[in-house]
Amino acid sequence: MAGTDKQQDMLAEGPAIILVEPQLGENIGMVARAMANFGLAELRLVSPRDGWPNEKARAAASRADHVIDAATVFETPADAVADLNFVLATTARPRDNFKPVRGPVEAAADLRSRFAADQKTGILFGRERWGLTNEEVALADEIVTFPVNPAFASLNIAQAVLLMSYEWIKTGDQAVQPPDSTLEPAEKLHIESLMGYLDRVLDERGYFRTEDKKPKMMENLRALFTRPGFTVEELAVLRGVLSSLEKFSPKNPRGSGAPDRG
């Protein structure tokens, strides 16, 4: 019984594995098998091409039914990470978005530290053929890349998940010091709420000089606000400052009455 309890505890550990628009059910099944091999159990699927549930996925999972049965489906990557405090994006290509880049060993150790601090974490994996878009990478806090042969850098999804899952379980015996903080780390939905607010007020003020540049400018802003790892309290302070700048002016300062919205 003790052994069974320990196995169940292992299944409750670790980051969520998030597959963005996976194509083949067989690939999803092999990902589930890799997760089960190394004690991960939370699988999130973003718009799987062939729908869900998928019997080909179950067959390829080789009895990792607990992962398949618990898998959840989301419409967008933003929905899939909304409740998470920290997200890694896996990519083999260089990205110009100001995010820290880690190897799998360092990334897994950081995930373990965050797990010890009761943070909810996840790892984004892209499409079989072309990975993640820049906009999807921008949802993450950091990037993780694998030290593969540059002349043949392609990994399939199951291989990539297997590598990260293996590095994750290796950290299980390490002594981890949780981050020293009494503040609540922000979830991604808080970041997205702030980004929606910035999109509106900046658009109203003509910040986006030409519409074609807006996506890249918003991507850079999102990278700026995901990189520091804000807490809920810090985002509330920042939101209050920005709201004050929007509503008040030197001629109509805060405390002088309701601002004129006309």
Side-chain angles (χ1 to χ4, degrees):
M1 181 64 70
T4 300
D5 291 342
K6 183 176 181 180
Q7 291 171 352
Q8 293 302 318
D9 287 342
M10 287 180 65
L11 295 180
E13 292 185 359
I17 299 299
I18 307 160
L19 307 184
V20 177
E21 297 182 0
Q23 295 179 352
L24 300 176
E26 293 88 341
N27 287 345
I28 299 173
M30 288 187 286
V31 164
R33 181 177 183 179
M35 292 170 61
N37 285 152
F38 298 105
L40 296 179
E42 185 176 359
L43 177 60
R44 302 185 180 191
L45 307 173
V46 178
S47 298
R49 185 191 67 180
D50 296 336
W52 195 260
N54 185 301
E55 288 307 312
K56 290 183 178 179
R58 184 178 296 278
S62 187
R63 298 193 302 277
D65 292 334
H66 61 285
V67 179
I68 295 295
D69 291 338
T72 50
V73 178
F74 299 84
E75 291 187 7
T76 68
D79 292 337
V81 303
D83 65 324
L84 303 179
N85 304 118
F86 181 83
V87 177
L88 289 172
T90 59
T91 175
R93 304 195 309 272
R95 306 278 182 156
D96 181 21
N97 55 13
F98 316 114
K99 292 188 182 296
V101 179
R102 297 177 182 262
V105 175
E106 184 183 11
D110 185 50
L111 289 173
R112 180 67 68 173
S113 176
R114 293 177 185 278
F115 172 76
D118 295 323
Q119 293 186 26
K120 296 183 67 175
T121 64
I123 311 174
L124 277 171
F125 294 85
R127 301 156 187 82
E128 287 94 331
R129 295 183 63 184
W130 46 279
L132 297 167
T133 66
N134 287 338
E135 291 77 10
E136 290 160 353
V137 172
L139 294 170
D141 297 272
E142 297 182 358
I143 291 171
V144 59
T145 61
F146 305 111
V148 295
N149 177 6
F152 195 76
S154 176
L155 290 175
N156 66 38
I157 293 178
Q159 289 174 322
V161 172
L162 181 73
L163 281 171
M164 283 306 302
S165 302
Y166 172 66
E167 294 300 339
W168 162 259
I169 205 169
K170 279 170 56 180
T171 66
D173 295 330
Q174 298 178 10
V176 177
Q177 181 64 39
D180 183 17
S181 176
T182 59
L183 300 177
E184 179 185 358
E187 296 177 358
K188 295 306 171 192
L189 61 89
H190 298 119
I191 299 291
E192 287 306 301
S193 175
L194 176 63
M195 295 308 302
Y197 171 76
L198 287 173
D199 190 335
R200 177 180 64 81
V201 298
L202 292 175
D203 197 47
E204 290 173 350
R205 284 151 182 78
Y207 178 76
F208 306 110
R209 299 296 180 88
T210 57
E211 193 63 26
D212 63 310
K213 292 184 178 179
K214 179 178 177 179
K216 182 60 178 178
M217 295 172 77
M218 286 299 297
E219 179 185 324
N220 290 342
L221 281 172
R222 181 174 277 105
L224 174 66
F225 287 114
T226 54
R227 187 175 185 180
F230 286 110
T231 65
V232 172
E233 293 83 357
E234 289 167 340
L235 285 180
V237 170
L238 180 59
R239 183 70 171 262
V241 169
L242 294 172
S243 179
S244 180
L245 292 174
E246 177 194 8
K247 294 177 179 178
F248 303 101
S249 69
K251 293 183 179 180
N252 184 28
R254 188 177 182 87
S256 63
D260 182 5
R261 299 293 292 175

